[in-house]
Every structure is written in structure tokens, then in C-alpha cells.
Amino acid sequence: MTMLKKTSQIFNPELSVAPLGIIAMDNAKELGEKINDYLVTWARQAGRDVDTFLIPSSCPRFQSGDAKGFIYETVRGYDLFFVCDVGNYSCTYPYFGYENRKSPDDHFQDLKRLIQAAGGKAHRVNVIMPLLYGGRQHRRNGRESLDAACMLQELQNIGVENVLTFDAHDPRVMNAVPLMGFDNIVPSYQALKALFKAFPDLIVDKEHFMIVSPDEGGMNRNMHYSSELQVTLGMFYKRRDVSQVVDGVNKIEAHEYLGNDVTGMDIFIADDIISSGKSMIEVAYDLKKRNAKRIFTYATYCIFTKGFDEMDKAYRDGVIDGVFGTNLTYTPDELLKREWYHVVDCSKYVSYFITALNHDMSVSSIIDPHEKIQTLLKEHRGK
């Protein structure tokens, strides 16, 4: 990464596309503040007197549920970056005397309200939406909506030029907006860095370590880890009952394993989302029955929609040794307190992208972390 080596040039106004402004929505305040801290530090290293890049905003609601977006400082001529976490279920609003939790739909509407509040006065509008709105409904089977594709077209129509997301369920959704900037970023380096830090005794070679994909849809993601680490790859596929539909999908009858013997191997399983956690736990129990040594799971978004009891039990039973998840979406305190949970901090990674885009620098080296992973691997093996 060359950006921090040239801090004298990074925040040079002559090199910037426009003055930088960060609007961290209420659903992404913590992530926005961490991003801002990095940007301010780098700007000061470049000799600029900067206190913050954050621009205050809010989306207040009437008791009837109607809302409006406010931006409290000028944004005229700014290169604006909106940071939005549509998965933050801790945000609430009053509604006829009740306290309602905001859904992804509410967060997306608030994002559009704030873009409207900018009134077309910004030099450029960019959206950082790590958990892509509607991303799990990315393709059509029968008469179904295409939420993610429609969302991207809406953003394009109201003036957004770039969308940055992390580990999209299916990045081909970008085909809906071929003329708009769309970057799908996979924080594989950050995940491996957190894994090696938490478990420094890991021996990463073909005799001791394996990558296993939890399903066929995650093969590309896990193939990447396997190729970078030069270890064996296995996979599970979900055998489904096509006659039954449960929660919108065909019921899973069993997870079938395809791959080499896992006896005595440490296993790393990567996915984009741990939703309820049931599938990941079933896969882990199956691997343990096959005499796997330790099992580490990673998901960019660990949301645990049905609570943590089953994962607690899997940890107590010695089935899962660690769960890794990013800080790109809301993480409740009760999850952070779990002994088995490890945070993968991606705020610095997001800051790199903002800096690069604001200065019209290439992002190819950021998207492809090959060199950084190889350096990390050498350092880990040298311990």
C-alpha cells in the first residue's frame, strides 16, 4: 500500500477531486467516526489543519412516521461520501406512541432523504453501503422482485456516481448499473490478519490447514483463500427438498461434504453472512465427526438473527473454536462479549478507498490484496 508513504501528497487540495465530506448516517456513526479518525490523522501528517471531515446530519420523524433528512452544514462543491449500514436493527423511531425498530427499508429511505437534502449542490455523491440493501434477493426465480438491482438504479437516478460495498452476496448485481461506479470489496487480508493474531499457533500448510466452503455459492470466496494460502479446498453442498419452501427457500435436508480427509486438520470456513448460524454450526459438527482438529468460521456479516445460544453450545462442546466477523455492520454488545467472537476491523480499509477516490487514484492495489496476504503469511510462518 503506497498511500501512507506519500502523506505529503494525499490531502493536497490540488490533487483532490473536491473538498472531502463524510456523512455518517445514524446507523453507521461508530464506523464513520473510525473512518474519520484515520482520514484526519493522514491529513495532519500531510500538514493540513483539519479537525474533522464529518458533516452532521439527521433524519427526524414525526409521530405519524413521516420523516425528513437534514444536513446541518454546507456541502456545496464537496466530494460527499454517505456511510450507511442498512443492517443496523438497533435504530428506533416513534410511531403513534410506539418505538419502532428501523428495517433495511427504513435505512434506505433515510439514505435517499439525505441525498435529497444535499440538493444537487455536491460536486459528487458516493455511497458506502457495506451490507448491500436487498443483496440477498439478487436474482429472480419465478415472479419475484429484484430488490438490489432496483436499489442501485434508484441511486443512479438520484445522482450517485459510486457505490462501495463489501462482500456482496452476488456482485453480478452491478450489471444493473453498468455506467455507475460499483466496487465490491472483499476484506480477506483483514480476516486472515485477525485469525493469525488470535491464533498465532496455526500452522498454515497442506499438512495442517484446510479451507472448506460451507456451500456451493461460497466456492469463489473460499477458492481465493485456498489459492492465497496454497492449501487444500473442500466444500459442502446443500441437498434440498424442492417440494418444500421454508422462509422463502427450499428446505435443506442435509449438508453433503466433498473433499479430502480432514482428520487432524485445522479448518477455516468463510461466508458472506452468518444469518441464524444454523448452517455453519451443522457444517462444523459434520467436520468434527470427521475428526477435524479446530474449526474457525468467518463471515463478513455476523448478524445471528436467532440469538447466540446455539453458537455458545457449539463453542462449549469444542466444535467451533472461533468466529470472526467485521465491524461493517452493527454488532451488539452481547456478541462482542462472547469469548468465541473476534472482530475484524475494516475501518482503515474503507478509509483507503475514500482517500483513493477523492484523489482519483487507482484502487486496483486495494481491491487485490495478494502482496499484503503473502507478506502476512511470511510473517506468521516466521514466528
Side-chain angles (χ1 to χ4, degrees):
M1 192 66 60
T2 59
M3 277 190 269
L4 286 179
K5 295 179 181 178
K6 300 179 180 179
T7 52
S8 61
Q9 299 178 10
I10 288 177
F11 284 97
N12 186 336
E14 295 178 2
L15 300 178
S16 297
V17 169
L20 177 62
I22 309 294
I23 295 182
M25 296 176 59
D26 288 342
N27 52 50
K29 287 295 185 186
E30 185 176 347
L31 178 61
E33 288 170 359
K34 287 187 174 183
I35 292 169
N36 180 65
D37 288 343
Y38 280 111
L39 296 174
V40 169
T41 298
W42 297 341
R44 288 176 177 173
Q45 289 174 353
R48 288 187 59 188
D49 184 16
V50 177
D51 291 326
T52 184
F53 290 102
L54 290 171
I55 296 173
S57 65
S58 69
C59 289
R61 298 223 175 198
F62 300 99
Q63 286 287 334
S64 62
D66 294 325
K68 55 184 175 181
F70 274 114
I71 297 176
Y72 296 102
E73 292 179 2
T74 181
V75 296
R76 187 179 296 274
Y78 274 65
D79 190 18
L80 282 184
F81 287 81
F82 290 86
V83 185
C84 176
D85 176 16
V86 299
N88 190 336
Y89 57 89
S90 71
C91 299
T92 62
Y93 65 92
Y95 186 59
F96 286 92
Y98 295 95
E99 200 69 19
N100 269 16
R101 287 183 183 267
K102 288 187 178 180
S103 70
D105 295 341
D106 293 307
H107 292 309
F108 180 52
Q109 287 299 120
D110 284 347
L111 171 64
K112 291 190 290 183
R113 290 181 178 108
L114 290 176
I115 294 173
Q116 290 178 58
K121 301 301 189 294
H123 174 80
R124 184 173 65 178
V125 174
N126 313 274
V127 171
I128 299 172
M129 187 187 291
L131 181 58
L132 194 66
Y133 172 80
R136 300 183 74 180
Q137 181 51 30
H138 60 283
R139 65 186 178 197
R140 175 174 284 161
N141 293 312
R143 290 189 175 88
E144 298 179 333
S145 60
L146 289 172
D147 294 28
C150 189
M151 175 273 297
L152 290 173
Q153 291 180 352
E154 279 191 77
L155 292 182
Q156 185 178 43
N157 290 338
I158 60 176
V160 174
E161 293 192 31
N162 296 297
V163 171
L164 278 70
T165 192
F166 279 75
D167 211 348
H169 194 63
D170 190 336
R172 289 175 295 184
V173 70
M174 70 176 71
N175 294 336
V177 284
L179 300 181
M180 184 174 76
F182 183 98
D183 287 302
N184 178 52
I185 309 152
V186 181
S188 52
Y189 166 74
Q190 285 72 19
L192 291 174
K193 184 177 180 180
L195 174 67
F196 294 163
K197 181 179 179 181
F199 297 91
D201 63 326
L202 278 171
I203 302 174
V204 185
D205 59 29
K206 289 185 177 180
E207 288 71 41
H208 302 89
F209 193 81
M210 275 185 68
I211 304 294
V212 173
S213 176
D215 53 37
E216 60 275 23
M219 276 298 288
N220 285 340
R221 180 180 300 105
N222 286 277
M223 283 172 62
H224 171 68
Y225 287 103
S226 173
S227 299
E228 290 287 357
L229 301 180
Q230 291 295 295
V231 295
T232 306
L233 173 67
M235 71 161 284
F236 282 84
Y237 75 91
K238 296 174 181 176
R239 179 157 52 83
R240 295 180 181 271
D241 182 354
V242 296
S243 67
Q244 296 187 58
V245 177
V246 179
D247 294 332
V249 296
N250 294 116
K251 182 181 178 181
I252 299 172
E253 288 189 328
H255 291 85
E256 305 285 356
Y257 176 69
L258 298 174
N260 291 4
D261 184 14
V262 299
T263 300
M265 305 288 278
D266 286 329
I267 308 292
F268 181 70
I269 309 170
D271 210 347
D272 58 336
I273 295 176
I274 292 178
S275 182
S276 67
K278 182 179 179 181
S279 291
M280 192 69 83
I281 291 170
E282 288 180 359
V283 164
Y285 272 97
D286 188 291
L287 290 169
K288 274 294 183 180
K289 289 179 182 178
R290 299 173 188 272
N291 299 314
K293 185 180 177 183
R294 291 181 294 180
I295 297 174
F296 309 100
T297 67
Y298 161 76
T300 308
Y301 308 103
C302 295
I303 56 179
F304 290 103
T305 57
K306 295 184 178 180
F308 314 113
D309 291 345
E310 289 192 28
M311 192 62 78
D312 286 338
K313 183 178 184 302
Y315 180 69
R316 288 194 306 269
D317 292 346
V319 174
I320 288 180
D321 293 84
V323 178
F324 293 79
T326 71
N327 62 340
L328 293 169
T329 192
Y330 170 69
T331 307
D333 289 338
E334 53 265 40
L335 176 56
L336 293 173
K337 293 175 182 176
R338 257 52 185 194
E339 186 179 3
W340 45 261
Y341 186 71
H342 306 268
V343 177
V344 178
D345 189 353
C346 293
S347 53
K348 189 175 184 179
Y349 200 18
V350 179
S351 305
Y352 280 141
F353 268 91
I354 292 175
T355 303
L357 290 177
N358 182 242
H359 289 77
D360 263 351
M361 298 168 67
S362 172
V363 299
S364 58
S365 62
I366 311 175
I367 292 176
D368 182 7
H370 172 71
E371 291 185 11
K372 296 187 65 129
I373 290 176
Q374 294 308 308
T375 300
L376 176 68
L377 193 56
K378 289 177 182 177
E379 291 175 354
H380 177 73
R381 286 172 172 167
K383 288 182 179 179

